[in-house]
Amino acid sequence: MTSLPDWLFLPPAGMDAATYEALPDETCKYLEVIDGAVLVHPGPTRRHQNTVRHLANELERICGSALAITTSADLRLRDEPLLIRKPDIVAHDLGLPDDAVLRPAHCRLVVEVVSACSATADRIDKPAEYAAAGIERFWRVEGDRQPMTFRYRLDPATKRYAEDALDPDDFGRHSDRNQGHRTHRGPGTRWDADSPPSDHMSRPRSRAGEEWVRPPTAR
């Protein structure tokens, strides 16, 4: 009979930061910690991984040396009780050392690609936690074959996310190329999961009702 790992037997206060940091990296890869309670995730599907990879690559191309783009990294939202999430993509300060704990103050954007097994968390729980932690922007990607990106920006007065109008003054590099973009009328932007979301990622807003996704610049 296979014995259960020791970390499954937690004290009433739940897992603390020291216990989590002592776990092997291979174990932590599948864990999130919510108020000290451990949440174990199944491995992502290939399509989910492809969606994350395409979007992360495009964000990295556009951000250049302004921000670092990291996938599936531990984001420590709170130490007590311990709250650790693993956003699919984080745009954070470039100078953050590899061994430093990633915290909300380092982040400019977090992205969640919605999965069937985490839909409620991706749509409700995580945005509320990211907003409460003061992270400026949140993107949620919905759909498999033709994903749609919904973009939100923090309202500092309410500490809640509101739809992001993508003010051109708030963003960096723009592209004047006219080919390859996919648009959707409304709050989201559609793109093909089987190919990178090309020029529409960096082009300024065009005709009324059509928007292109652009990354945040470093402060």
Side-chain angles (χ1 to χ4, degrees):
M1 181 176 177
T2 303
S3 60
L4 296 174
D6 292 339
W7 56 265
L8 280 178
F9 301 95
L10 298 173
M15 182 173 286
D16 58 21
T19 303
Y20 182 83
E21 290 168 358
L23 294 176
D25 290 343
E26 187 63 25
T27 299
C28 292
K29 184 167 62 174
Y30 299 102
L31 304 183
E32 290 184 321
V33 184
I34 316 302
D35 294 339
V38 176
L39 180 63
V40 182
H41 287 289
T45 65
R46 289 192 300 274
R47 184 167 291 278
H48 182 278
Q49 290 176 306
N50 287 339
T51 299
V52 171
R53 176 171 55 84
H54 288 323
L55 184 53
N57 288 347
E58 191 69 9
L59 283 169
E60 192 168 56
R61 181 185 69 81
I62 296 168
C63 287
S65 60
L67 293 168
I69 306 299
T70 303
T71 59
S72 300
D74 284 355
L75 171 56
R76 191 176 301 182
L77 298 168
R78 186 173 60 236
D79 288 306
E80 295 183 5
L82 188 61
L83 178 56
I84 296 175
R85 290 293 192 180
K86 281 185 171 60
D88 287 307
I89 305 172
V90 182
H92 61 84
D93 296 342
L94 192 65
L96 185 69
D98 288 342
D99 58 351
V101 174
L102 180 64
R103 297 184 182 273
H106 305 132
C107 301
R108 301 292 173 263
L109 165 72
V110 289
V111 182
E112 294 289 356
V113 178
V114 176
S115 298
C117 64
S118 61
T120 299
D122 293 339
R123 294 169 182 159
I124 300 174
D125 299 336
K126 292 181 182 180
E129 293 163 2
Y130 298 151
I135 297 175
E136 184 180 3
R137 284 184 170 88
F138 169 70
W139 291 358
R140 190 184 80 251
V141 181
E142 296 267 4
D144 289 330
R145 297 200 173 274
Q146 195 176 37
M148 179 184 290
T149 301
F150 295 87
R151 303 170 301 277
Y152 302 92
R153 187 170 185 172
L154 186 65
D155 182 340
T158 64
K159 283 289 185 179
R160 295 183 178 181
Y161 286 121
E163 287 185 6
D164 191 356
L166 291 179
D167 184 344
D169 293 336
D170 291 340
F171 293 87
R173 244 160 60 179
H174 293 173
S175 169
D176 293 327
R177 289 174 293 177
N178 295 318
Q179 298 178 354
H181 62 268
R182 294 173 181 265
T183 64
H184 172 72
R185 295 182 183 276
T189 296
R190 291 189 185 277
W191 47 283
D192 190 340
D194 294 321
S195 61
S198 53
D199 290 352
H200 76 273
M201 293 289 295
S202 56
R203 181 173 173 169
R205 198 186 313 183
S206 180
R207 297 183 297 276
E210 295 186 350
E211 298 176 352
W212 286 260
V213 176
R214 286 171 289 159
T217 56
R219 289 175 178 171

